[in-house]
Amino acid sequence: MEDICVIGLGYIGLPTSGHLSSKGYNVLGVDTNRDIIEALKNGHVLIEEPDLKTLIKDSIHRGKLSFSLEPQKSDAFIIAVPTPIFENHTANLDYVKQAIRNILPYLEKGNLIIVESTIPPRTIDDVVVPLLQEGGFSPQLDEVFVAHCPERVIPGRILVELNENTRVVGGYTEQATRKAANLYRDVIQGDVYETSAVTAEMVKLMENTYRDVNIALANELAKISHHLGVNAHDVVELANMHPRVNLHQPGPGVGGHCISVDPYFIIEKAQDLSPLMQTARKVNLSMPDFVVEQIENMIHKNKQSTISVLGLTYKGNTDDLRESPALIIVDKLISKGYHVKCHDPHVKQNMTDLDLFSLEESLTGADIAVILADHNAFKRIESSIFTKHMGTPTIFDTKSCLQELNGVKLYQIGDLSEYSDSKYINRVSS
Ligand SMILES: NC(=O)c1ccc[n+]([C@@H]2O[C@H](COP(=O)([O-])OP(=O)(O)OC[C@H]3O[C@@H](n4cnc5c(N)ncnc54)[C@H](O)[C@@H]3O)[C@@H](O)[C@H]2O)c1
């Protein structure tokens, strides 16, 4: 195998293209977005990810990586297109279907097709294989080899994890599994496990559902602690001293297109059998309202207040705004009439309709600063920045970024006792 087409050049497809080409494969990166292709052809990488720019430029320079709007004949096709959800919380597989249709004219017997996009259980069997059959290929007879290999990298460490993470490879047939697994064995250091396509689909979805459910548990703890006048962070820290307990930290909600989306792919296929997953989703979706309620309490619902929002992305140290609870919180605050000044060192102005400010501009004259993303830059902010620019500095840190700061009133999402409406509050000693 020498030539690989990677379909979709986003957060997954572009690093994958770079990685495969660095291992000696001739890679054609394909995307339907003309701007992305033009930018890449000119050596511009639009995604913020450590070392990615260098890797891509180097691969182009060595003649191992090129870009196009159209696929070409290849030994393998790797599909890394989006799999969002519709408003009714069912999977939108339109991009996957289109990607398969787009490669059909270039497909030849013996080719390998790997779907890396996250997909609902049975998508390979019920959606991908029938499309290939319509195109005249018989995956069950191994005329083409079809497999699912879910991607599990974390933004900010994508290139490291692409190489080091274990991979689960599930083929439609045993031969397909083996062929796909061998490709990964050739290019990564992590272990490669072979299974069926539907198992691989469920593995990925359960990983993120596990995280969603556990984050919901921590968020529920934050709300209960608020009600009872308990510091949830202390509870988490002390409970985690138990050798078999690993409570997560509460936060402003769950974002990104993985944890906040993937559980729906299972729920859609097993509505009556997934009450726990559905409740976890509801708890996490309720967190932006909880945060807004606490902010309003802290500023005494004074509509003249200016609110500095620090961090818009769904997680720290990335520029990824997808499904970010911070955006929901900002939206709710603005629609309630507050003056909101957002700052995010990772987000560029052309990525959002919100007006972005420098840190100092955002804090100047603000009645409260609310931290909604755990960027490293925020963990390093010194108290003097707050005291210099804010009258009476009040910080609501929903991501546990800050420790105690001199001259600054600091509230954390798990420790809101001052604002608690709890009838128990006086019984809890601090
Ligand atoms: N980003 C992550 O951290 C991450 C982690 C694990 C899994 N995933 C999964 O990987 C998949 C891709 O995610 P992403 O973050 O890279 O998405 P993305 O939106 O960053 O990139 C997808 C790219 O695919 C392109 N595209 C859409 N339809 C196409 C088609 N028919 N042909 C060619 N290109 C097409 C889009 O223009 C876009 O550039 C999703 O299923 C996602 O859930 C993502």
Side-chain angles (χ1 to χ4, degrees):
M1 187 178 305
E2 289 177 1
D3 302 328
I4 301 179
C5 242
V6 176
I7 312 292
L9 295 173
Y11 286 92
I12 297 303
L14 186 60
T16 301
S17 303
H19 183 73
L20 289 166
S21 50
S22 75
K23 298 292 173 187
Y25 289 95
N26 302 315
V27 179
L28 179 72
V30 177
D31 203 292
T32 44
N33 184 326
R34 198 171 287 275
D35 293 341
I36 291 179
I37 295 299
E38 283 310 311
L40 287 168
K41 279 184 171 173
N42 291 313
H44 299 306
V45 172
L46 304 177
I47 295 168
E48 187 183 304
E49 186 62 32
D51 301 325
L52 183 60
K53 217 171 266 183
T54 316
L55 176 70
I56 297 299
K57 279 189 171 169
D58 185 51
S59 298
I60 296 172
H61 184 68
R62 286 185 302 106
K64 291 304 233 180
L65 178 60
S66 53
F67 302 102
S68 169
L69 286 162
E70 288 293 326
Q72 68 182 19
K73 288 189 179 191
S74 291
D75 301 308
F77 295 84
I78 296 183
I79 312 256
V81 296
T83 43
I85 40 169
F86 290 116
E87 267 185 23
N88 68 359
H89 292 157
T90 59
N92 174 355
L93 293 176
D94 291 351
Y95 299 99
V96 173
K97 290 180 192 165
Q98 195 53 49
I100 299 288
R101 289 194 187 102
N102 289 354
I103 62 171
L104 280 176
Y106 306 93
L107 212 53
E108 291 179 335
K109 285 193 177 173
N111 284 171
L112 172 65
I113 301 134
I114 301 173
V115 178
E116 285 207 2
S117 299
T118 307
I119 44 179
R122 296 200 54 83
T123 299
I124 291 290
D125 290 60
D126 297 345
V127 178
V128 174
V129 164
L131 281 174
L132 292 167
Q133 286 167 334
E134 277 170 36
F137 295 93
S138 178
Q140 58 274 39
L141 297 179
D142 284 331
E143 284 182 359
V144 286
F145 301 96
V146 187
H148 177 51
C149 179
E151 186 49 79
R152 322 145 108 173
V153 289
I154 189 164
R157 275 176 53 82
I158 291 182
L159 290 181
V160 176
E161 295 205 354
L162 262 184
N163 188 36
E164 293 179 0
N165 285 0
T166 49
R167 297 298 292 254
V168 175
V169 180
Y172 184 63
T173 63
E174 278 182 24
Q175 270 285 81
T177 308
R178 200 156 313 122
K179 272 198 175 264
N182 285 343
L183 172 58
Y184 289 98
R185 287 190 183 108
D186 191 37
V187 296
I188 71 166
Q189 283 180 318
D191 292 331
V192 178
Y193 292 94
E194 298 183 11
T195 183
S196 66
V198 70
T199 304
E201 290 164 340
M202 276 302 278
V203 167
K204 166 73 188 179
L205 299 176
M206 277 311 292
E207 288 165 0
N208 282 336
T209 302
Y210 168 88
R211 301 199 54 215
D212 197 45
V213 170
N214 280 284
I215 294 167
L217 187 62
N219 285 336
E220 197 161 273
L221 167 66
K223 288 181 175 178
I224 293 169
S225 298
H226 177 46
H227 175 61
L228 296 177
V230 179
N231 182 332
H233 300 290
D234 288 349
V235 175
V236 171
E237 189 183 332
L238 294 169
N240 283 349
M241 288 173 179
H242 184 290
R244 286 171 295 283
V245 172
N246 184 18
L247 283 173
H248 289 31
Q249 289 292 338
V254 171
H257 52 96
C258 283
I259 300 180
S260 64
V261 169
D262 294 358
Y264 292 122
F265 288 7
I266 301 178
I267 293 167
E268 149 185 11
K269 294 288 172 95
Q271 195 79 35
D272 297 338
L273 300 172
S274 53
L276 179 62
M277 296 177 189
Q278 293 177 47
T279 303
R281 282 281 66 238
K282 281 187 197 133
V283 171
N284 288 334
L285 284 172
S286 74
M287 290 312 285
D289 276 327
F290 180 71
V291 169
V292 169
E293 191 187 321
Q294 303 319 315
I295 294 171
E296 286 203 282
N297 288 341
M298 290 172 192
I299 56 177
H300 311 292
K301 297 202 168 111
N302 178 357
K303 296 284 182 201
Q304 306 306 316
S305 301
T306 297
I307 301 167
S308 162
V309 164
L310 305 182
L312 292 172
T313 59
Y314 80 90
K315 75 185 286 290
N317 305 321
T318 76
D319 61 352
D320 197 336
L321 293 165
R322 288 177 289 183
E323 318 287 333
S324 176
L327 296 179
I328 300 170
I329 291 166
V330 169
D331 207 41
K332 284 179 188 284
L333 291 171
I334 291 173
S335 63
K336 280 174 178 278
Y338 295 106
H339 183 214
V340 180
K341 294 202 287 181
C342 301
H343 165 71
D344 192 309
H346 293 269
V347 177
K348 298 184 187 72
Q349 187 58 74
N350 64 4
M351 297 165 68
T352 172
D353 292 337
L354 295 166
D355 286 333
L356 296 182
F357 296 83
S358 69
L359 176 63
E360 290 76 9
E361 284 167 348
S362 164
L363 292 175
T364 300
D367 298 281
I368 188 169
V370 185
I371 298 181
L372 295 176
D374 50 351
H375 296 317
N376 285 345
F378 297 155
K379 295 178 186 164
R380 293 191 291 262
I381 299 182
E382 294 190 355
S383 53
S384 57
I385 303 272
F386 295 117
T387 49
K388 187 171 165 197
H389 296 283
M390 298 172 76
T392 318
T394 301
I395 318 294
F396 180 20
D397 179 5
T398 70
K399 297 293 289 184
S400 307
C401 283
L402 301 174
Q403 305 299 323
E404 244 167 61
L405 294 172
N406 276 343
V408 173
K409 217 180 217 185
L410 177 63
Y411 298 105
Q412 296 195 318
I413 198 159
D415 182 16
L416 297 162
S417 42
E418 174 153 335
Y419 297 101
S420 178
D421 52 2
S422 164
K423 58 183 186 283
Y424 305 103
I425 187 83
N426 293 329
R427 290 203 234 146
V428 180
S429 62
S430 57

